[in-house]
Amino acid sequence: MDAYKAIVSKRDSRSYVDKPLDEGALRRILQAGRMAGSSKNTQPCRFVVVRESEQKARLAGCGQFAQHVPQAAAAVAVCLPPTGGDFDAGRAAQNIMLAAWNEGVASCPVSMHDRDCARSVLGLPEDWRVAVVLALGYPAPGIPLGRGIQRLSLEEFVRYERWE
Amino acid sequence: MDAYKAIVSKRDSRSYVDKPLDEGALRRILQAGRMAGSSKNTQPCRFVVVRESEQKARLAGCGQFAQHVPQAAAAVAVCLPPTGGDFDAGRAAQNIMLAAWNEGVASCPVSMHDRDCARSVLGLPEDWRVAVVLALGYPAPGIPLGRGIQRLSLEEFVRYERWE
């Protein structure tokens, strides 16, 4: 897919069909996360790929809006050490979700509101945390991507030289 | 450019030629930022596009490693309200930088270590902050993108089901 088209057409989606991810696609998706730039090239993020049903169900129990995680073909937990920041996690997550969309795979970031729960389920070192879980799956047919909420206009988003 | 190629070939770069951005390219770059998903579709980020020399120089004075900002064709400040998080800023920033790269425009995130300075230069409301400034410019020829630092191997980045 053309890069611009992939970027502007990507919508977060929580409805997936029951079909495992193509192995080559998953590898490219993870490569995209690996290649994300980071502050001073510290490469802080690590990814835990969860595909087993029981693990997905446990992860779903750590977030307030994570009910769809078990339906996802895979959940990729983006994990950070104490020195890592959410900005770099956002860059890596966006790379992962755009590469997924380029493979026809829909995705949605899922917050782990109970941090201790997510850390325990994934067996992370004590000082690490899950910045976000990315649910990935081939999109369910007939369900519109996103929830139909429009973006604000470009003029609303952009100012020139100064705020006003 | 193919989306996967754009994602995995993008390197942060601070060396630019003295050439303004194509207006159509800039518009697509900003559209990419606009279309980034966000937590509960709150769309928290706003972008201030700085192209005037004096404004770029003032912004450069707000960061410890921002010396290259005046050489950039444009600096896009990704701004957040108090309710906005760096994860969403990272998603929007990555969209902007990937769309830029797709137009042949190199970029680098620049931290504004002096937050009050950046807020004042851009005239932001008191409770807003600059999450990051993205320097954008056509890449200088003969200068390798990035600083030649390799990424860790994919195996180093990825674990399956649990940390260990």
Side-chain angles (χ1 to χ4, degrees):
Chain A
M1 200 187 312
D2 170 70
Y4 181 67
K5 188 179 168 194
I7 292 168
V8 297
S9 67
K10 194 270 185 236
R11 298 290 180 283
D12 296 347
S13 171
R14 295 165 168 254
S15 301
Y16 318 108
V17 294
D18 183 15
K19 180 183 165 189
L21 297 184
D22 174 83
E23 280 291 328
L26 178 59
R27 193 175 171 86
R28 287 184 289 278
I29 288 166
L30 297 170
Q31 280 284 13
R34 171 187 175 231
M35 294 311 294
S38 59
S39 176
K40 298 182 188 149
N41 196 32
T42 45
Q43 307 179 61
C45 300
R46 294 293 180 275
F47 314 122
V48 182
V49 180
V50 174
R51 287 178 290 190
E52 292 176 7
S53 297
E54 288 188 6
Q55 265 302 67
K56 287 190 286 185
R58 285 188 206 105
L59 265 188
C62 305
Q64 288 169 20
F65 308 103
Q67 300 90 335
H68 61 297
V69 169
Q71 278 72 56
V76 177
V78 179
C79 306
L80 284 175
T83 51
D86 285 310
F87 181 80
D88 283 344
R91 293 186 71 183
Q94 194 66 7
N95 264 17
I96 285 172
M97 293 189 289
L98 289 174
W101 186 226
N102 187 49
E103 304 281 346
V105 174
S107 60
C108 188
V110 188
S111 293
M112 296 284 100
H113 297 87
D114 187 338
R115 287 190 171 188
D116 290 336
C117 172
R119 186 186 294 115
S120 159
V121 166
L122 296 176
L124 298 192
E126 219 170 83
D127 52 352
W128 281 63
R129 66 187 172 93
V130 177
V132 73
V133 166
L134 304 172
L136 301 172
Y138 295 101
I143 296 180
L145 292 170
R147 288 181 294 172
I149 302 170
Q150 297 290 315
R151 292 285 190 277
L152 300 171
S153 71
L154 189 59
E155 289 61 39
E156 191 77 26
F157 272 102
V158 182
R159 292 157 190 241
Y160 290 88
E161 301 308 330
R162 276 176 64 88
W163 189 265
E164 53 190 357
Chain B
M1 202 189 310
D2 170 68
Y4 181 67
K5 189 180 167 191
I7 293 167
V8 297
S9 67
K10 194 269 186 241
R11 297 291 181 284
D12 296 348
S13 171
R14 296 165 167 253
S15 302
Y16 318 109
V17 294
D18 183 16
K19 180 183 164 187
L21 296 185
D22 174 83
E23 279 292 329
L26 178 59
R27 193 173 171 86
R28 287 185 289 278
I29 288 166
L30 296 169
Q31 281 282 13
R34 170 186 176 232
M35 296 310 294
S38 59
S39 176
K40 296 180 187 150
N41 196 33
T42 45
Q43 307 180 59
C45 300
R46 295 294 180 272
F47 313 121
V48 182
V49 180
V50 174
R51 287 178 289 190
E52 292 177 6
S53 297
E54 288 188 7
Q55 263 305 65
K56 287 189 286 185
R58 284 187 207 104
L59 266 189
C62 305
Q64 288 169 20
F65 309 103
Q67 301 89 335
H68 61 297
V69 170
Q71 278 73 57
V76 176
V78 179
C79 307
L80 284 175
T83 50
D86 285 308
F87 182 80
D88 283 344
R91 293 187 70 182
Q94 194 66 6
N95 264 16
I96 285 173
M97 292 188 288
L98 289 174
W101 186 226
N102 187 49
E103 303 281 347
V105 174
S107 60
C108 188
V110 187
S111 293
M112 298 281 101
H113 296 87
D114 187 339
R115 286 191 171 186
D116 291 337
C117 172
R119 186 185 294 115
S120 160
V121 166
L122 296 175
L124 298 192
E126 218 170 85
D127 51 352
W128 282 61
R129 66 186 171 93
V130 178
V132 73
V133 166
L134 304 172
L136 301 172
Y138 295 101
I143 295 179
L145 292 169
R147 288 181 293 173
I149 302 169
Q150 297 290 316
R151 292 284 190 279
L152 300 172
S153 71
L154 189 59
E155 289 62 39
E156 191 78 27
F157 272 102
V158 182
R159 291 158 191 242
Y160 291 88
E161 303 307 331
R162 277 177 62 90
W163 189 265
E164 51 191 356

